[in-house]
Amino acid sequence: MARSGRRPGDNDTRGEVLAAARATFADKGYHGATIRAIAAAADVDPALVHHYFGTKEDLFVAAVRLPMPPAEFADRIIGPGVDGAGERLAAAFFGVWEDPATRDALLSMLRGAFATDQGAAVLRDFFGTVLVRRLAGRLDGEDAELRMTLAAAHLVGVAVLRYVIRFPDLESASVDDLVALVGPRLQAYLG
């Protein structure tokens, strides 16, 4: 039975909740995972999970292990200027996908997007917040949000073919090769 509060002598309950969340999301997908199941896997009360992370969506974003808070993402990609932003975006995107822990969570989100309307909404909200709105707000010219949506579509399409369907040429390509090939295409959307 799950205990409430922090375990005596345990200094990393938050980390154990995150580990349980990653495992549960990877095993059951976004929709099959519940706060209650994650709490049980971490041997804590569900209220503690809510205390640390808030909603299931907030927990999922934390479990995905974004390399930086979304607010800093636009600064990293566009901050140095629009020139080269396509390559920086491709490098950041594929860098997250190459981390096995991050990849499992992203695969769960991607599979959920194809399985249910709610899963599609989570993916849309995730990419809409992290990628589209934040970056589009930093771009000049008309149709910035549409251009960023097209860039996101390009990246997600490559991710589906590389990490889900596992097209041999894409799967065997190095991240440097992907950045070199995809970066200029993204740059066309951004600039």
Side-chain angles (χ1 to χ4, degrees), residues 23-35:
T24 304
F25 284 128
D27 181 47
K28 299 185 182 296
Y30 178 81
H31 300 291
T34 64
I35 293 289

Side-chain angles (χ1 to χ4, degrees), residues 112-135:
F114 291 119
T116 67
D117 289 341
Q118 185 180 4
V122 169
L123 184 71
R124 187 172 46 248
D125 290 345
F126 179 77
F127 278 101
T129 299
V130 173
L131 217 64
V132 175
R133 279 184 229 117
R134 290 188 188 278
L135 291 174

Side-chain angles (χ1 to χ4, degrees), residues 6 25 38 60 71 75 88 100 118 131 138 167 179-180 183:
R6 217 181 170 96
F25 284 128
I38 292 165
F60 184 80
D75 286 338
R88 289 189 297 274
Q118 185 180 4
L131 217 64
R138 307 280 301 269
F167 269 41
V179 170

Side-chain angles (χ1 to χ4, degrees), residues 40-51:
D43 197 25
V44 298
D45 188 273
L48 186 62
V49 177
H50 285 291
H51 170 75

Side-chain angles (χ1 to χ4, degrees), residues 14 17-18 25 30 34-36 38 45-62:
R14 187 176 192 279
V17 169
L18 273 176
F25 284 128
Y30 178 81
T34 64
I35 293 289
R36 186 171 303 281
I38 292 165
D45 188 273
L48 186 62
V49 177
H50 285 291
H51 170 75
Y52 281 137
F53 300 101
T55 67
K56 178 176 153 180
E57 289 82 8
D58 294 335
L59 176 59
F60 184 80
V61 169

